[in-house]
mmCIF file of all heavy atoms in Angstrom:
data_model
loop_
_atom_site.group_PDB
_atom_site.id
_atom_site.type_symbol
_atom_site.label_atom_id
_atom_site.label_comp_id
_atom_site.label_asym_id
_atom_site.label_seq_id
_atom_site.Cartn_x
_atom_site.Cartn_y
_atom_site.Cartn_z
ATOM 1 N N ARG X 132 -6.532 27.978 -19.733
ATOM 2 C CA ARG X 132 -8.038 28.060 -19.717
ATOM 3 C C ARG X 132 -8.626 26.666 -20.007
ATOM 4 O O ARG X 132 -9.623 26.325 -19.471
ATOM 5 C CB ARG X 132 -8.457 29.128 -20.640
ATOM 6 C CG ARG X 132 -9.994 29.305 -20.644
ATOM 7 C CD ARG X 132 -10.502 30.374 -21.592
ATOM 8 N NE ARG X 132 -11.927 30.386 -21.650
ATOM 9 C CZ ARG X 132 -12.678 31.192 -20.849
ATOM 10 N NH1 ARG X 132 -12.100 32.033 -20.045
ATOM 11 N NH2 ARG X 132 -14.003 31.134 -20.936
ATOM 12 N N VAL X 139 -13.687 22.177 -14.325
ATOM 13 C CA VAL X 139 -15.028 22.612 -14.046
ATOM 14 C C VAL X 139 -16.038 21.591 -14.640
ATOM 15 O O VAL X 139 -17.047 21.256 -14.040
ATOM 16 C CB VAL X 139 -15.280 24.003 -14.508
ATOM 17 C CG1 VAL X 139 -16.794 24.400 -14.503
ATOM 18 C CG2 VAL X 139 -14.496 25.015 -13.763
ATOM 19 N N LEU X 143 -18.909 19.791 -12.650
ATOM 20 C CA LEU X 143 -20.316 20.102 -12.914
ATOM 21 C C LEU X 143 -21.160 18.918 -13.147
ATOM 22 O O LEU X 143 -22.344 18.861 -12.868
ATOM 23 C CB LEU X 143 -20.350 21.010 -14.134
ATOM 24 C CG LEU X 143 -20.383 22.571 -13.838
ATOM 25 C CD1 LEU X 143 -20.385 23.273 -15.121
ATOM 26 C CD2 LEU X 143 -21.542 22.903 -13.000
ATOM 27 N N ASP X 152 -27.949 29.159 -9.078
ATOM 28 C CA ASP X 152 -26.703 28.417 -9.087
ATOM 29 C C ASP X 152 -25.565 29.182 -8.443
ATOM 30 O O ASP X 152 -24.397 28.908 -8.733
ATOM 31 C CB ASP X 152 -26.275 28.047 -10.537
ATOM 32 C CG ASP X 152 -27.306 27.080 -11.125
ATOM 33 O OD1 ASP X 152 -27.784 26.196 -10.345
ATOM 34 O OD2 ASP X 152 -27.552 27.148 -12.334
ATOM 35 N N VAL X 155 -23.220 26.873 -6.475
ATOM 36 C CA VAL X 155 -22.389 26.071 -7.313
ATOM 37 C C VAL X 155 -21.327 26.909 -7.937
ATOM 38 O O VAL X 155 -20.078 26.575 -7.983
ATOM 39 C CB VAL X 155 -23.187 25.354 -8.430
ATOM 40 C CG1 VAL X 155 -22.353 24.703 -9.512
ATOM 41 C CG2 VAL X 155 -24.170 24.433 -7.854
ATOM 42 N N THR X 156 -21.629 28.140 -8.351
ATOM 43 C CA THR X 156 -20.638 29.132 -8.959
ATOM 44 C C THR X 156 -19.590 29.404 -7.943
ATOM 45 O O THR X 156 -18.392 29.354 -8.266
ATOM 46 C CB THR X 156 -21.378 30.384 -9.419
ATOM 47 O OG1 THR X 156 -22.367 30.073 -10.337
ATOM 48 C CG2 THR X 156 -20.400 31.388 -10.001
ATOM 49 N N ARG X 157 -19.979 29.743 -6.711
ATOM 50 C CA ARG X 157 -18.972 30.124 -5.670
ATOM 51 C C ARG X 157 -18.077 28.899 -5.400
ATOM 52 O O ARG X 157 -16.849 29.017 -5.282
ATOM 53 C CB ARG X 157 -19.691 30.468 -4.378
ATOM 54 C CG ARG X 157 -20.091 31.896 -4.307
ATOM 55 C CD ARG X 157 -20.427 32.283 -2.903
ATOM 56 N NE ARG X 157 -21.220 31.381 -2.203
ATOM 57 C CZ ARG X 157 -22.515 31.512 -1.847
ATOM 58 N NH1 ARG X 157 -23.138 32.471 -2.239
ATOM 59 N NH2 ARG X 157 -23.154 30.478 -1.143
ATOM 60 N N ARG X 158 -18.629 27.648 -5.304
ATOM 61 C CA ARG X 158 -17.775 26.526 -5.090
ATOM 62 C C ARG X 158 -16.781 26.303 -6.175
ATOM 63 O O ARG X 158 -15.605 25.988 -5.931
ATOM 64 C CB ARG X 158 -18.686 25.273 -4.804
ATOM 65 C CG ARG X 158 -19.317 25.352 -3.453
ATOM 66 C CD ARG X 158 -20.346 24.233 -3.327
ATOM 67 N NE ARG X 158 -19.669 22.956 -3.464
ATOM 68 C CZ ARG X 158 -20.366 21.850 -3.609
ATOM 69 N NH1 ARG X 158 -21.706 21.830 -3.674
ATOM 70 N NH2 ARG X 158 -19.751 20.663 -3.782
ATOM 71 N N LEU X 159 -17.226 26.393 -7.394
ATOM 72 C CA LEU X 159 -16.329 26.115 -8.552
ATOM 73 C C LEU X 159 -15.269 27.228 -8.706
ATOM 74 O O LEU X 159 -14.139 26.852 -8.997
ATOM 75 C CB LEU X 159 -17.172 25.968 -9.825
ATOM 76 C CG LEU X 159 -18.034 24.714 -9.874
ATOM 77 C CD1 LEU X 159 -18.993 24.778 -11.145
ATOM 78 C CD2 LEU X 159 -17.226 23.430 -9.855
ATOM 79 N N VAL X 160 -15.618 28.451 -8.487
ATOM 80 C CA VAL X 160 -14.647 29.523 -8.588
ATOM 81 C C VAL X 160 -13.643 29.381 -7.517
ATOM 82 O O VAL X 160 -12.435 29.536 -7.724
ATOM 83 C CB VAL X 160 -15.356 30.930 -8.561
ATOM 84 C CG1 VAL X 160 -14.355 31.995 -8.319
ATOM 85 C CG2 VAL X 160 -16.141 31.165 -9.808
ATOM 86 N N ALA X 161 -14.039 28.984 -6.295
ATOM 87 C CA ALA X 161 -13.146 28.832 -5.199
ATOM 88 C C ALA X 161 -12.197 27.670 -5.494
ATOM 89 O O ALA X 161 -11.027 27.662 -5.117
ATOM 90 C CB ALA X 161 -13.923 28.576 -3.902
ATOM 91 N N MET X 162 -12.728 26.567 -6.089
ATOM 92 C CA MET X 162 -11.847 25.400 -6.396
ATOM 93 C C MET X 162 -10.803 25.824 -7.380
ATOM 94 O O MET X 162 -9.593 25.480 -7.154
ATOM 95 C CB MET X 162 -12.798 24.365 -7.029
ATOM 96 C CG MET X 162 -11.993 23.062 -7.443
ATOM 97 S SD MET X 162 -11.661 22.709 -9.185
ATOM 98 C CE MET X 162 -13.148 23.063 -10.037
ATOM 99 N N LEU X 163 -11.129 26.632 -8.362
ATOM 100 C CA LEU X 163 -10.132 27.085 -9.344
ATOM 101 C C LEU X 163 -9.140 28.087 -8.706
ATOM 102 O O LEU X 163 -7.911 28.017 -9.004
ATOM 103 C CB LEU X 163 -10.820 27.747 -10.552
ATOM 104 C CG LEU X 163 -11.496 26.809 -11.539
ATOM 105 C CD1 LEU X 163 -12.234 27.601 -12.637
ATOM 106 C CD2 LEU X 163 -10.624 25.776 -12.089
ATOM 107 N N MET X 172 -10.467 34.771 -14.717
ATOM 108 C CA MET X 172 -10.577 33.631 -15.600
ATOM 109 C C MET X 172 -11.474 32.534 -14.974
ATOM 110 O O MET X 172 -12.286 31.903 -15.639
ATOM 111 C CB MET X 172 -9.182 33.016 -15.889
ATOM 112 C CG MET X 172 -9.358 31.882 -16.948
ATOM 113 S SD MET X 172 -8.209 30.555 -17.059
ATOM 114 C CE MET X 172 -6.694 31.163 -16.574
ATOM 115 N N ALA X 173 -11.313 32.323 -13.638
ATOM 116 C CA ALA X 173 -12.163 31.285 -12.981
ATOM 117 C C ALA X 173 -13.581 31.601 -13.152
ATOM 118 O O ALA X 173 -14.422 30.767 -13.459
ATOM 119 C CB ALA X 173 -11.726 31.226 -11.505
ATOM 120 N N TYR X 174 -13.991 32.873 -12.901
ATOM 121 C CA TYR X 174 -15.382 33.256 -13.052
ATOM 122 C C TYR X 174 -15.873 33.095 -14.429
ATOM 123 O O TYR X 174 -16.978 32.558 -14.678
ATOM 124 C CB TYR X 174 -15.629 34.688 -12.495
ATOM 125 C CG TYR X 174 -17.086 35.032 -12.570
ATOM 126 C CD1 TYR X 174 -17.976 34.557 -11.588
ATOM 127 C CD2 TYR X 174 -17.566 35.849 -13.562
ATOM 128 C CE1 TYR X 174 -19.317 34.913 -11.686
ATOM 129 C CE2 TYR X 174 -18.922 36.150 -13.707
ATOM 130 C CZ TYR X 174 -19.790 35.646 -12.721
ATOM 131 O OH TYR X 174 -21.090 35.927 -12.818
ATOM 132 N N ASP X 175 -15.103 33.522 -15.470
ATOM 133 C CA ASP X 175 -15.484 33.398 -16.849
ATOM 134 C C ASP X 175 -15.724 31.910 -17.233
ATOM 135 O O ASP X 175 -16.709 31.538 -17.823
ATOM 136 C CB ASP X 175 -14.475 34.025 -17.755
ATOM 137 C CG ASP X 175 -14.442 35.595 -17.656
ATOM 138 O OD1 ASP X 175 -15.408 36.137 -17.151
ATOM 139 O OD2 ASP X 175 -13.398 36.139 -18.117
ATOM 140 N N VAL X 176 -14.754 31.076 -16.817
ATOM 141 C CA VAL X 176 -14.869 29.656 -17.187
ATOM 142 C C VAL X 176 -16.077 29.021 -16.502
ATOM 143 O O VAL X 176 -16.847 28.299 -17.154
ATOM 144 C CB VAL X 176 -13.570 28.878 -16.718
ATOM 145 C CG1 VAL X 176 -13.747 27.428 -16.758
ATOM 146 C CG2 VAL X 176 -12.358 29.321 -17.600
ATOM 147 N N VAL X 177 -16.340 29.342 -15.187
ATOM 148 C CA VAL X 177 -17.476 28.745 -14.519
ATOM 149 C C VAL X 177 -18.731 29.235 -15.152
ATOM 150 O O VAL X 177 -19.725 28.444 -15.386
ATOM 151 C CB VAL X 177 -17.408 29.083 -13.036
ATOM 152 C CG1 VAL X 177 -18.745 28.686 -12.348
ATOM 153 C CG2 VAL X 177 -16.223 28.387 -12.352
ATOM 154 N N ARG X 178 -18.801 30.483 -15.472
ATOM 155 C CA ARG X 178 -20.091 31.099 -16.117
ATOM 156 C C ARG X 178 -20.343 30.363 -17.416
ATOM 157 O O ARG X 178 -21.461 29.888 -17.677
ATOM 158 C CB ARG X 178 -19.917 32.617 -16.273
ATOM 159 C CG ARG X 178 -21.191 33.215 -16.855
ATOM 160 C CD ARG X 178 -20.958 34.600 -17.310
ATOM 161 N NE ARG X 178 -19.974 34.586 -18.364
ATOM 162 C CZ ARG X 178 -18.945 35.460 -18.502
ATOM 163 N NH1 ARG X 178 -18.725 36.326 -17.570
ATOM 164 N NH2 ARG X 178 -18.128 35.368 -19.481
ATOM 165 N N ASP X 179 -19.373 30.232 -18.227
ATOM 166 C CA ASP X 179 -19.472 29.640 -19.606
ATOM 167 C C ASP X 179 -19.811 28.100 -19.464
ATOM 168 O O ASP X 179 -20.713 27.649 -20.177
ATOM 169 C CB ASP X 179 -18.198 29.767 -20.394
ATOM 170 C CG ASP X 179 -17.917 31.184 -20.758
ATOM 171 O OD1 ASP X 179 -18.872 32.070 -20.570
ATOM 172 O OD2 ASP X 179 -16.826 31.481 -21.192
ATOM 173 N N GLU X 180 -19.142 27.408 -18.563
ATOM 174 C CA GLU X 180 -19.381 26.011 -18.486
ATOM 175 C C GLU X 180 -20.722 25.678 -17.786
ATOM 176 O O GLU X 180 -21.361 24.726 -18.069
ATOM 177 C CB GLU X 180 -18.245 25.293 -17.657
ATOM 178 C CG GLU X 180 -16.923 25.368 -18.428
ATOM 179 C CD GLU X 180 -17.005 24.653 -19.776
ATOM 180 O OE1 GLU X 180 -17.728 23.583 -19.851
ATOM 181 O OE2 GLU X 180 -16.448 25.126 -20.755
ATOM 182 N N LEU X 181 -21.160 26.539 -16.904
ATOM 183 C CA LEU X 181 -22.430 26.369 -16.265
ATOM 184 C C LEU X 181 -23.552 26.542 -17.307
ATOM 185 O O LEU X 181 -24.484 25.755 -17.344
ATOM 186 C CB LEU X 181 -22.600 27.417 -15.126
ATOM 187 C CG LEU X 181 -23.699 27.247 -14.125
ATOM 188 C CD1 LEU X 181 -23.578 25.780 -13.501
ATOM 189 C CD2 LEU X 181 -23.646 28.276 -13.051
ATOM 190 N N ALA X 182 -23.399 27.556 -18.145
ATOM 191 C CA ALA X 182 -24.398 27.709 -19.199
ATOM 192 C C ALA X 182 -24.350 26.515 -20.179
ATOM 193 O O ALA X 182 -25.453 26.021 -20.565
ATOM 194 C CB ALA X 182 -24.092 29.000 -20.016
ATOM 195 N N ALA X 183 -23.223 26.018 -20.505
ATOM 196 C CA ALA X 183 -23.127 24.821 -21.460
ATOM 197 C C ALA X 183 -23.763 23.553 -20.725
ATOM 198 O O ALA X 183 -24.371 22.779 -21.402
ATOM 199 C CB ALA X 183 -21.673 24.570 -21.826
#
Side-chain angles (χ1 to χ4, degrees):
R132 183 180 174 94
V139 170
L143 267 177
D152 295 323
V155 173
T156 301
R157 277 196 316 253
R158 287 175 53 196
L159 293 172
V160 168
M162 181 253 318
L163 290 176
M172 187 209 324
Y174 182 74
D175 288 345
V176 167
V177 169
R178 184 191 62 226
D179 294 346
E180 291 303 318
L181 196 54

